[in-house]
Amino acid sequence: MAGFLVRRSLHGAVLVALAASLTYLLAASALRPRAHFEQRNPRPPAAVVDAELTALNLNDRTPLLRRYAVWAGGVLRGDFGRTLAGEPVAPELWRRALVSLRLLAVGTVLGAVLGVLAGAYAAARRHRPADRLITVGSFAVLSTPVFVLAVLLQLGAERINQITGVRIFEWAGEYTPGAAEGALGRLRHLVLPTLTVVLVQAAVFGRYQRHLMLDVLDADFVRTAMARGLTRRQALVRHGLRTALVPTATYFAYTFGFVLLGAMFTEKIFGWHGMGEWLIDSVHRGDVNAVAAVALLAAVLVLLAGAAADIAHAILDPRVRAGR
Amino acid sequence: MTVLRVADLRVTFRDATVPAVRGMDLAVDRGEVHAVVGESGCGKTTTALALLGLLPPGTEVAGSVRLHGKELVGRSDAELARVRGRDIAMVFADPSSALTPVRTVGDQIAETIRIHQGASRAAARARAVRLLDLVGIPDPARRARAYPHELSGGMRQRVMIAMAVANDPAVIVADEPTAALDGTVRAQVLQVLRAAGEATGAAIVLITHDLGVAAEIADRVTVMYAGRPVESGPVEEVYARPRMPYTIGLLQAVPRLDGRPPFGPAVPGPRRPVLVPIDGVPPQRPGPGCSFSPRCPISGPRCAEEEPGPRPVPGADGHTVACLQDVADPAAVYPPPDPGPEPAVDRVERPVVLEVSGLVRHHVRRGAGPLRRRRDTVRAVDGVDFTVRRGETLALVGESGCGKTTTLLEILRLRAPQAGRITVLGHDTAALDRATRRALRRDVQAVFQDPLASLDPLMRVAEIVAEPLLAHGHRRRDVGGPVRELLAMVGLPAELAWRHPGALSGGQRQRVAIARALALRPRLLLLDEPVSALDVSVQAGICNLLTRLQDRLGLTCLLVTHDLAVARHVADRIAVMYLGRIVELGDVRGVCRDPAHPYTRALLSAVPVPDPARARRRPRAVLPGDPPDPAAPPPGCRFRPRCPRYRTLEAGRARRCEEEEPRSTEVAPGRYAACHYPETTSP
Ligand SMILES: Nc1ncnc2c1ncn2[C@@H]1O[C@H](COP(=O)(O)OP(=O)(O)O)[C@@H](O)[C@H]1O
Ligand code: SF4
Ligand code: SF4
Ligand SMILES: [Mg+2]
């Protein structure tokens, strides 16, 4: 087991290094930070721009591989370089990651749980009105782009606020700057984005769970459970759902790794300054170091998510445990 | 006292136009074993599920099922749930899928107890362990914590039985409880089932397609056809004096180890015994008359108009039959099959077609983890020798996992084996050049168990049979004649040539597969369980076809089968495999009559005898344990851990079994056995 872990970690480290390096090389050769500096008013002399770029290790007149070497050396020492504004990347990265986590954690978990329940219920009611309704609903959500969904929710919230005359919902930013609103205020800001995430997540997991559940509806072991004296519903929940949850839980563990990066639109629309927003803005500005840092974090997360999925699978499914 | 009475049960599945069960009657007494037999698709499983209210939602059930006089049809799921598992329990066919994979077996048995008795978790657990002990699971406390996949098939079926008897039910319904199990394990499980029934006084409804299994343990039997009971009565009476042509057909179609037909005179001399198949298949939508009339050899004009109901057989107590005619002599119903020409006996003079010596095939087994590390080596075939001469059939028999199919596939590859040597028609497969190998491929053809998997569903029968001809350079316009000839040779009507495999019955598909294998006039035919997936009535026809082809074409065959009775009917010689080795080899009649190796004897005694009187009289030698893991054969004789003879040996002689691996020696002319202390063959 220990040997297995060591090998697996080495394997992972190599993959992360490769992925991060490739992203850096791609970003450093494709993005144009020079434009950002040149566009200032008054236009600075070329020598000044060059000096500023060199100081940030972003000068496209320095050979790519030399810039890469400087960057990689820094990363190995825990230094992710500086943003175009000259701030260190690392603290900003962590700050942004926490914002994303606050925005998405609740919605992701809640959405998955609701999705599982809805999917399982729909499967048990196969081809009946409840199933049709859930199916139509989830397809409607899945086929609506997230930003449209978010805007629709905002419109709805606006109406409710108007009707009640109280600002129940807030949707600009994480909190209202300057106002002393406390925990409740933050919560109010959280409702709409969370709802967006819940809807999307529930639709995805609902589809997935319905499909898995259909496989066990007619399974022999569900019939055996009924033959023992369980009603159909009890047998489906205690034996069918329990078995059909294994792949869902594994999938959930896997997708949770992407949560921090997966919500660019939600962040943009609701004005949360999270990772997704940062990535888009950085690409836009040509901020190579920030982009590379996000990519590195993403690679690590993907890897951890893979491990988490394997662990979840092993915990839930004795058949896998035996194979190790 | 009748505990379960089924009357005029009718079941129609949702979206089905024809009912699957059309008026089933059944009366089961306390403590009785009542077998329900019939071909697949005749409604046995549907009946069983209907008894417990386990049919899928939307299924229409009419008629009456009374348990202790209380009506069960029409009750709600919640009401039935209180009866299920307490008063009426069920054992399902396939133990590999019938247990929840992610819960321990102890947990699942305990759940059965807790649902109905409200026992505490600990008390239910303790009782589960006692139940596992009752059904003969060694180390029950540990096994209770095992997950289903950690147990063998036989163990899982014991778990199912433990679960069924957990609440002392009045009736246990067992649907093909042994169909998925190996011979020796099947015998164990049948014994456990009967013992469990006797211990609890439960009546057992035993659903099976296997007339041998029914004869072994049933008191009464009901024969089903097309969703109806067609004959019912005490098992001795029905098997000895069947009145319904369908029952008679089934009994004559079962292969028997002694090779004797169930009624009428035995086939004389050294001929291979012939079986009597029932032509045709069960009707998709039964017409107005007797549903068996399209297949019935004595069908009269009245039979096509009137559906006979069950009527008592005069003079036989409790024997009912649904037939419009009175059959006095069962042997006279079906025309006797053509026994074929007398087989030639001069084995030694004929040339060797296939020679296998010291054949080895090991598989590396890997872990399931992402790195798939090597775990161990499965010694699937571990030193096998035999020869097959022209015009003869050698059967390779043994329990699953003993290496039969691997041996066959190694031969079919026509390549150098890992060790040992394979010589086909005089060519060593290790030394073949491309052209010779290609030529040899024409001469060696194979037929596999599942015809549907080996036939392209998009091709028509004629195209399937023509394919090998075209691939070997025949021109398209020349193959019409040979294809027609081949279809006729395997007994397929010419009008089937334009059908797709999906539109054929199982037996017809297997005939197509055989016709395709014969297209290139092979000299060696390898058959892997060719009849295992078929009903007995159809199996008999394929067995007869194979023997006839051997006689007509002088074909040499290697037949892999787990069914010794099939081997008895199709093969000339038999090789018994155990853990990758051949333990006994010899003439099939002799081996079946006086086996020399203790394992052969155990296998033979595990074959169910479709003759109730003899089945009960014969000594029962049930082999203990499961077939062992071929990754770790025990030292000394591989069979020792299960060998009944070893246990009777005195210490000095027994040591030889522990230390020295027995080599195959000729114990009688033409008979080889790998045992230090073979049973004396003929004196
Ligand atoms: N769930 C189902 N839906 C529709 N038809 C079914 C279903 N199960 C079985 N049948 C049909 O009912 C008939 C009887 O099947 P079954 O009871 O399984 O027979 P047996 O157990 O004797 O082999 C067959 O024609 C089969 O195709
Ligand atoms: S009723 Fe007629 S067709 Fe049916 S089994 Fe009897 S003789 Fe044959
Ligand atoms: S050699 Fe010994 S253990 Fe092996 S089969 Fe013969 S008697 Fe049994
Ligand atoms: Mg069945």
Side-chain angles (χ1 to χ4, degrees), chain B residues 11-16 18-21 37-49 55-56 59 175-176 207 209 224 227 283-284:
Chain B
V11 181
T12 313
F13 285 103
R14 190 221 287 269
D15 305 332
V18 201
V21 175
V37 302
E39 285 167 292
S40 59
C42 71
K44 305 184 297 294
T45 300
T46 308
T47 304
L49 295 177
L55 288 163
T59 310
D175 182 13
E176 304 276 10
I207 296 197
H209 69 280
M224 263 187 104
Q284 290 297 313

Short mmCIF file of all heavy atoms in Angstrom, two decimals, chain B residues 11-16 18-21 37-49 55-56 59 175-176 207 209 224 227 283-284, ligand 1:
data_model
loop_
_atom_site.label_atom_id
_atom_site.label_comp_id
_atom_site.label_asym_id
_atom_site.label_seq_id
_atom_site.Cartn_x
_atom_site.Cartn_y
_atom_site.Cartn_z
N VAL B 11 -51.09 -14.63 -15.97
CA VAL B 11 -50.21 -13.47 -15.86
C VAL B 11 -49.99 -12.88 -17.24
O VAL B 11 -49.64 -13.59 -18.17
CB VAL B 11 -48.84 -13.86 -15.27
CG1 VAL B 11 -47.95 -12.64 -15.15
CG2 VAL B 11 -49.00 -14.53 -13.92
N THR B 12 -50.23 -11.58 -17.37
CA THR B 12 -49.94 -10.89 -18.62
C THR B 12 -49.02 -9.73 -18.32
O THR B 12 -49.34 -8.87 -17.51
CB THR B 12 -51.24 -10.34 -19.26
OG1 THR B 12 -52.21 -11.39 -19.24
CG2 THR B 12 -50.99 -9.89 -20.69
N PHE B 13 -47.87 -9.72 -18.98
CA PHE B 13 -46.93 -8.62 -18.76
C PHE B 13 -47.45 -7.36 -19.42
O PHE B 13 -48.21 -7.42 -20.39
CB PHE B 13 -45.56 -8.97 -19.32
CG PHE B 13 -44.82 -9.95 -18.46
CD1 PHE B 13 -44.73 -11.28 -18.82
CD2 PHE B 13 -44.23 -9.53 -17.28
CE1 PHE B 13 -44.06 -12.18 -18.01
CE2 PHE B 13 -43.56 -10.43 -16.48
CZ PHE B 13 -43.48 -11.76 -16.84
N ARG B 14 -47.01 -6.23 -18.90
CA ARG B 14 -47.38 -4.96 -19.50
C ARG B 14 -46.93 -4.94 -20.97
O ARG B 14 -45.81 -5.37 -21.28
CB ARG B 14 -46.66 -3.85 -18.74
CG ARG B 14 -47.13 -2.44 -19.09
CD ARG B 14 -45.93 -1.52 -19.20
NE ARG B 14 -45.35 -1.19 -17.92
CZ ARG B 14 -45.70 -0.12 -17.20
NH1 ARG B 14 -46.64 0.68 -17.61
NH2 ARG B 14 -45.09 0.13 -16.08
N ASP B 15 -47.75 -4.48 -21.84
CA ASP B 15 -47.46 -4.39 -23.28
C ASP B 15 -47.41 -5.73 -23.99
O ASP B 15 -47.09 -5.79 -25.17
CB ASP B 15 -46.13 -3.66 -23.57
CG ASP B 15 -46.08 -2.30 -22.95
OD1 ASP B 15 -47.16 -1.71 -22.79
OD2 ASP B 15 -44.98 -1.83 -22.63
N ALA B 16 -47.66 -6.85 -23.27
CA ALA B 16 -47.66 -8.15 -23.97
C ALA B 16 -49.06 -8.42 -24.48
O ALA B 16 -50.06 -8.03 -23.87
CB ALA B 16 -47.22 -9.25 -23.02
N VAL B 18 -50.02 -11.63 -25.46
CA VAL B 18 -50.41 -12.97 -25.02
C VAL B 18 -49.99 -13.16 -23.57
O VAL B 18 -48.91 -12.73 -23.18
CB VAL B 18 -49.67 -14.04 -25.86
CG1 VAL B 18 -50.40 -15.35 -25.82
CG2 VAL B 18 -49.47 -13.57 -27.27
N PRO B 19 -50.83 -13.77 -22.75
CA PRO B 19 -50.41 -14.01 -21.37
C PRO B 19 -49.23 -14.97 -21.31
O PRO B 19 -49.13 -15.89 -22.13
CB PRO B 19 -51.64 -14.61 -20.71
CG PRO B 19 -52.66 -14.82 -21.75
CD PRO B 19 -52.19 -14.22 -23.03
N ALA B 20 -48.31 -14.75 -20.36
CA ALA B 20 -47.17 -15.65 -20.20
C ALA B 20 -47.58 -16.89 -19.43
O ALA B 20 -47.03 -17.97 -19.61
CB ALA B 20 -46.03 -14.93 -19.49
N VAL B 21 -48.54 -16.77 -18.53
CA VAL B 21 -49.08 -17.91 -17.80
C VAL B 21 -50.58 -17.91 -18.07
O VAL B 21 -51.24 -16.89 -17.92
CB VAL B 21 -48.77 -17.80 -16.30
CG1 VAL B 21 -49.44 -18.93 -15.54
CG2 VAL B 21 -47.28 -17.82 -16.06
N VAL B 37 -41.53 -28.41 -13.96
CA VAL B 37 -40.53 -28.55 -15.03
C VAL B 37 -41.12 -28.12 -16.37
O VAL B 37 -42.33 -28.04 -16.54
CB VAL B 37 -40.00 -30.00 -15.14
CG1 VAL B 37 -39.40 -30.46 -13.84
CG2 VAL B 37 -41.11 -30.94 -15.57
N GLY B 38 -40.23 -27.85 -17.32
CA GLY B 38 -40.66 -27.44 -18.65
C GLY B 38 -39.53 -26.71 -19.34
O GLY B 38 -38.55 -26.32 -18.71
N GLU B 39 -39.68 -26.52 -20.64
CA GLU B 39 -38.64 -25.83 -21.41
C GLU B 39 -38.58 -24.36 -21.01
O GLU B 39 -39.52 -23.83 -20.44
CB GLU B 39 -38.94 -25.93 -22.90
CG GLU B 39 -38.66 -27.28 -23.51
CD GLU B 39 -39.26 -27.40 -24.89
OE1 GLU B 39 -40.48 -27.43 -25.01
OE2 GLU B 39 -38.50 -27.43 -25.85
N SER B 40 -37.49 -23.68 -21.40
CA SER B 40 -37.40 -22.26 -21.04
C SER B 40 -38.47 -21.49 -21.78
O SER B 40 -38.84 -21.81 -22.90
CB SER B 40 -36.02 -21.71 -21.35
OG SER B 40 -35.74 -21.86 -22.70
N GLY B 41 -38.99 -20.47 -21.12
CA GLY B 41 -40.02 -19.65 -21.72
C GLY B 41 -41.42 -20.19 -21.54
O GLY B 41 -42.38 -19.60 -22.02
N CYS B 42 -41.59 -21.30 -20.82
CA CYS B 42 -42.94 -21.84 -20.69
C CYS B 42 -43.67 -21.21 -19.52
O CYS B 42 -44.82 -21.56 -19.26
CB CYS B 42 -42.91 -23.35 -20.58
SG CYS B 42 -42.25 -23.92 -19.04
N GLY B 43 -43.02 -20.31 -18.78
CA GLY B 43 -43.73 -19.58 -17.74
C GLY B 43 -43.42 -20.02 -16.33
O GLY B 43 -44.12 -19.65 -15.40
N LYS B 44 -42.34 -20.76 -16.13
CA LYS B 44 -42.02 -21.24 -14.79
C LYS B 44 -41.64 -20.08 -13.87
O LYS B 44 -42.18 -19.94 -12.78
CB LYS B 44 -40.87 -22.25 -14.86
CG LYS B 44 -41.12 -23.43 -15.78
CD LYS B 44 -39.99 -24.44 -15.74
CE LYS B 44 -38.66 -23.91 -16.21
NZ LYS B 44 -38.58 -23.56 -17.63
N THR B 45 -40.68 -19.28 -14.33
CA THR B 45 -40.23 -18.17 -13.50
C THR B 45 -41.35 -17.18 -13.25
O THR B 45 -41.51 -16.68 -12.14
CB THR B 45 -39.03 -17.47 -14.17
OG1 THR B 45 -37.98 -18.42 -14.33
CG2 THR B 45 -38.54 -16.30 -13.35
N THR B 46 -42.13 -16.93 -14.28
CA THR B 46 -43.24 -15.99 -14.12
C THR B 46 -44.20 -16.49 -13.05
O THR B 46 -44.66 -15.73 -12.19
CB THR B 46 -43.98 -15.84 -15.46
OG1 THR B 46 -43.02 -15.53 -16.46
CG2 THR B 46 -45.01 -14.75 -15.39
N THR B 47 -44.48 -17.78 -13.05
CA THR B 47 -45.34 -18.36 -12.02
C THR B 47 -44.73 -18.13 -10.64
O THR B 47 -45.41 -17.67 -9.71
CB THR B 47 -45.52 -19.87 -12.26
OG1 THR B 47 -46.03 -20.06 -13.57
CG2 THR B 47 -46.45 -20.49 -11.25
N ALA B 48 -43.42 -18.43 -10.53
CA ALA B 48 -42.77 -18.29 -9.23
C ALA B 48 -42.86 -16.85 -8.72
O ALA B 48 -43.21 -16.61 -7.56
CB ALA B 48 -41.31 -18.71 -9.34
N LEU B 49 -42.58 -15.91 -9.60
CA LEU B 49 -42.61 -14.51 -9.17
C LEU B 49 -44.02 -14.09 -8.80
O LEU B 49 -44.23 -13.31 -7.87
CB LEU B 49 -42.05 -13.61 -10.27
CG LEU B 49 -40.58 -13.82 -10.60
CD1 LEU B 49 -40.15 -12.92 -11.74
CD2 LEU B 49 -39.71 -13.54 -9.38
N LEU B 55 -43.64 -9.66 -9.50
CA LEU B 55 -43.61 -9.29 -10.91
C LEU B 55 -43.48 -7.78 -11.04
O LEU B 55 -43.87 -7.04 -10.14
CB LEU B 55 -44.90 -9.78 -11.59
CG LEU B 55 -44.94 -11.29 -11.75
CD1 LEU B 55 -46.35 -11.78 -12.03
CD2 LEU B 55 -44.01 -11.74 -12.86
N PRO B 56 -42.91 -7.31 -12.15
CA PRO B 56 -42.72 -5.86 -12.28
C PRO B 56 -44.06 -5.12 -12.24
O PRO B 56 -45.10 -5.68 -12.61
CB PRO B 56 -42.04 -5.71 -13.64
CG PRO B 56 -42.11 -7.03 -14.30
CD PRO B 56 -42.36 -8.05 -13.26
N THR B 59 -47.80 -5.46 -14.30
CA THR B 59 -48.14 -6.80 -14.78
C THR B 59 -49.53 -7.17 -14.26
O THR B 59 -49.86 -6.91 -13.11
CB THR B 59 -47.12 -7.81 -14.25
OG1 THR B 59 -45.83 -7.32 -14.54
CG2 THR B 59 -47.31 -9.16 -14.90
N ASP B 175 -36.23 -21.12 -7.70
CA ASP B 175 -36.27 -21.04 -9.16
C ASP B 175 -34.91 -21.41 -9.72
O ASP B 175 -33.96 -20.65 -9.60
CB ASP B 175 -36.65 -19.62 -9.58
CG ASP B 175 -36.77 -19.49 -11.09
OD1 ASP B 175 -36.80 -20.53 -11.78
OD2 ASP B 175 -36.83 -18.35 -11.59
N GLU B 176 -34.80 -22.59 -10.31
CA GLU B 176 -33.54 -23.06 -10.88
C GLU B 176 -32.38 -22.86 -9.92
O GLU B 176 -31.36 -22.26 -10.27
CB GLU B 176 -33.23 -22.31 -12.19
CG GLU B 176 -34.30 -22.38 -13.24
CD GLU B 176 -34.22 -23.65 -14.08
OE1 GLU B 176 -33.45 -24.57 -13.72
OE2 GLU B 176 -34.96 -23.75 -15.07
N ILE B 207 -38.45 -25.14 -9.06
CA ILE B 207 -38.62 -24.86 -10.47
C ILE B 207 -37.35 -25.23 -11.20
O ILE B 207 -36.26 -24.79 -10.81
CB ILE B 207 -38.95 -23.36 -10.64
CG1 ILE B 207 -40.28 -23.16 -9.95
CG2 ILE B 207 -38.93 -22.96 -12.08
CD1 ILE B 207 -40.99 -21.95 -10.30
N HIS B 209 -35.52 -26.74 -15.17
CA HIS B 209 -35.67 -27.27 -16.52
C HIS B 209 -35.07 -28.66 -16.58
O HIS B 209 -35.14 -29.33 -17.58
CB HIS B 209 -34.95 -26.36 -17.51
CG HIS B 209 -33.46 -26.42 -17.35
ND1 HIS B 209 -32.80 -25.73 -16.36
CD2 HIS B 209 -32.52 -27.13 -18.01
CE1 HIS B 209 -31.51 -26.01 -16.43
NE2 HIS B 209 -31.31 -26.85 -17.42
N MET B 224 -45.00 -28.05 -17.20
CA MET B 224 -45.64 -26.88 -17.78
C MET B 224 -45.32 -26.81 -19.26
O MET B 224 -44.22 -27.13 -19.68
CB MET B 224 -45.09 -25.61 -17.13
CG MET B 224 -45.93 -25.06 -16.01
SD MET B 224 -45.28 -23.48 -15.46
CE MET B 224 -46.47 -22.38 -16.21
N GLY B 227 -47.29 -21.99 -20.72
CA GLY B 227 -48.03 -21.27 -19.70
C GLY B 227 -49.12 -22.06 -19.00
O GLY B 227 -49.90 -21.49 -18.25
N PRO B 283 -44.92 -22.48 -28.94
CA PRO B 283 -45.59 -21.47 -29.76
C PRO B 283 -45.44 -20.07 -29.16
O PRO B 283 -45.42 -19.90 -27.95
CB PRO B 283 -47.05 -21.91 -29.72
CG PRO B 283 -47.18 -22.67 -28.45
CD PRO B 283 -45.87 -23.35 -28.23
N GLN B 284 -45.29 -19.08 -30.04
CA GLN B 284 -45.25 -17.69 -29.59
C GLN B 284 -46.62 -17.27 -29.08
O GLN B 284 -46.74 -16.65 -28.05
CB GLN B 284 -44.83 -16.77 -30.73
CG GLN B 284 -43.38 -16.91 -31.14
CD GLN B 284 -42.44 -16.52 -30.02
OE1 GLN B 284 -42.62 -15.50 -29.38
NE2 GLN B 284 -41.44 -17.36 -29.74
N1 LIG C 1 -40.57 -8.91 -17.64
C1 LIG C 1 -41.16 -9.50 -18.71
N2 LIG C 1 -41.83 -8.74 -19.62
C2 LIG C 1 -42.43 -9.32 -20.69
N3 LIG C 1 -42.41 -10.64 -20.95
C3 LIG C 1 -41.77 -11.46 -20.08
C4 LIG C 1 -41.10 -10.93 -18.92
N4 LIG C 1 -40.54 -11.97 -18.24
C5 LIG C 1 -40.84 -13.10 -18.94
N5 LIG C 1 -41.59 -12.79 -20.05
C6 LIG C 1 -42.13 -13.75 -21.03
O1 LIG C 1 -42.98 -14.65 -20.36
C7 LIG C 1 -42.84 -15.96 -20.88
C8 LIG C 1 -42.51 -16.93 -19.75
O2 LIG C 1 -41.23 -16.64 -19.26
P1 LIG C 1 -40.62 -17.32 -17.96
O3 LIG C 1 -41.62 -17.32 -16.88
O4 LIG C 1 -39.32 -16.66 -17.68
O5 LIG C 1 -40.39 -18.81 -18.42
P2 LIG C 1 -39.44 -19.95 -17.77
O6 LIG C 1 -39.07 -19.54 -16.39
O7 LIG C 1 -40.30 -21.16 -17.81
O8 LIG C 1 -38.27 -20.07 -18.66
C9 LIG C 1 -41.78 -15.87 -21.96
O9 LIG C 1 -42.39 -15.77 -23.22
C10 LIG C 1 -41.03 -14.61 -21.64
O10 LIG C 1 -40.50 -14.03 -22.79
#
